[in-house]
């Protein structure tokens, strides 16, 4: 995610849309951090078995290394696809998980809404602190949304089904 300081932030989001891990990328590119991103996420959350990445994370080495660490790797290849790559990327499981990947864009947008549109703190440490606080705010908002939804479902259950007037 590009920001005003010119630094990008990679985020790892779970299936419930909580941000599990992030990394501020200093003088590096997506394809150089893919494996370490998975390692850090799995260290904190060992149950992570599937990850979806943008095309910018692709490299032949990443494809091999990530297959050893994850049960399912959604890592689309950049550029022209070979027949093997076409077959891999047209697999129904790959397509289904790739479609779910677009939800991470909402997390990136939400981070912008929670303070990452501008960083009033100075320096790299201030930026990293601001990123972490925006992620905490996003996760709290997500938790609040889940709790609100559960309360609404409970209230609807208590009310029971509405009966139509005769």
């Amino acid at each position: 995610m590009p920001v005003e300081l010119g630094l990008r932030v990679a985020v790892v989001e779970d299936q419930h849309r909580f941000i599990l891990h992030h990394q501020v990328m200093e003088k590096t590119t997506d394809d150089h951090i893919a494996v370490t991103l998975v390692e850090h996420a799995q260290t904190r959350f060992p149950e992570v078995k599937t990850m979806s990445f943008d095309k910018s994370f692709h490299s032949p080495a990443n494809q091999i290394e990530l297959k050893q660490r994850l049960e399912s790797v959604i890592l689309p290849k950049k550029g022209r696809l070979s027949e093997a790559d076409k077959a891999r990327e047209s697999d129904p499981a790959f397509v289904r998980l790739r479609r779910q990947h677009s939800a991470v864009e909402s997390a990136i947008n939400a981070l912008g809404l929670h303070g990452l549109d501008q960083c009033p703190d100075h320096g790299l440490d201030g930026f990293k602190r601001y990123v972490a606080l925006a992620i905490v705010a996003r996760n709290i908002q997500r938790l609040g949304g889940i709790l609100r939804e559960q309360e609404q479902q409970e209230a609807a259950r208590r009310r029971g089904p509405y009966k139509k007037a005769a």
Side-chain angles (χ1 to χ4, degrees):
M1 153 173 91
V3 294
E4 75 175 36
L5 298 178
L7 295 175
R8 295 164 27 109
V9 179
V11 295
V12 176
E13 189 178 50
D14 72 1
Q15 70 273 22
H16 305 291
R17 297 182 18 227
F18 286 99
I19 297 174
L20 304 178
H21 179 69
H22 73 281
Q23 183 172 342
V24 175
M25 294 188 283
E26 305 170 55
K27 299 179 185 175
T28 189
T29 57
D30 294 345
D31 58 326
H32 290 105
I33 67 157
V35 174
T36 58
L37 209 57
V38 170
E39 287 172 347
H40 290 175
Q42 285 182 324
T43 298
R44 295 173 62 201
F45 302 97
E47 63 279 358
V48 171
K49 304 288 185 229
T50 301
M51 274 199 173
S52 175
F53 298 88
D54 289 334
K55 288 182 179 187
S56 59
F57 287 89
H58 185 271
S59 76
N62 285 347
Q63 193 77 292
I64 293 166
E65 185 75 26
L66 293 173
K67 279 184 184 178
Q68 295 172 356
R69 298 176 185 281
L70 297 166
E71 289 176 12
S72 182
V73 178
I74 309 305
L75 183 59
K77 184 179 176 187
K78 295 184 269 189
R80 187 170 215 133
L81 299 179
S82 67
E83 290 301 318
D85 291 327
K86 283 180 188 176
R88 179 179 56 83
E89 291 189 22
S90 64
D91 179 79
F94 186 98
V95 171
R96 179 179 51 81
L97 291 169
R98 183 71 186 138
R99 285 186 181 140
Q100 291 176 356
H101 178 83
S102 62
V104 79
E105 298 302 326
S106 70
I108 292 169
N109 182 48
L111 289 177
L113 295 174
H114 289 96
L116 280 184
D117 54 339
Q118 291 183 13
C119 181
D121 244 338
H122 296 285
L124 183 59
D125 289 336
F127 177 72
K128 287 180 178 181
R129 181 174 41 253
Y130 222 69
V131 169
L133 289 171
I135 288 171
V136 169
R138 165 66 176 149
N139 285 342
I140 289 172
Q141 180 202 33
R142 181 70 191 123
L143 181 60
I146 290 170
L147 294 174
R148 185 176 51 248
E149 185 178 313
Q150 288 174 348
E151 288 173 357
Q152 290 171 347
Q153 289 173 353
E154 178 63 24
R157 188 187 61 76
R158 276 189 264 123
R159 275 194 312 264
Y162 289 105
K163 295 183 181 178
K164 291 184 179 180

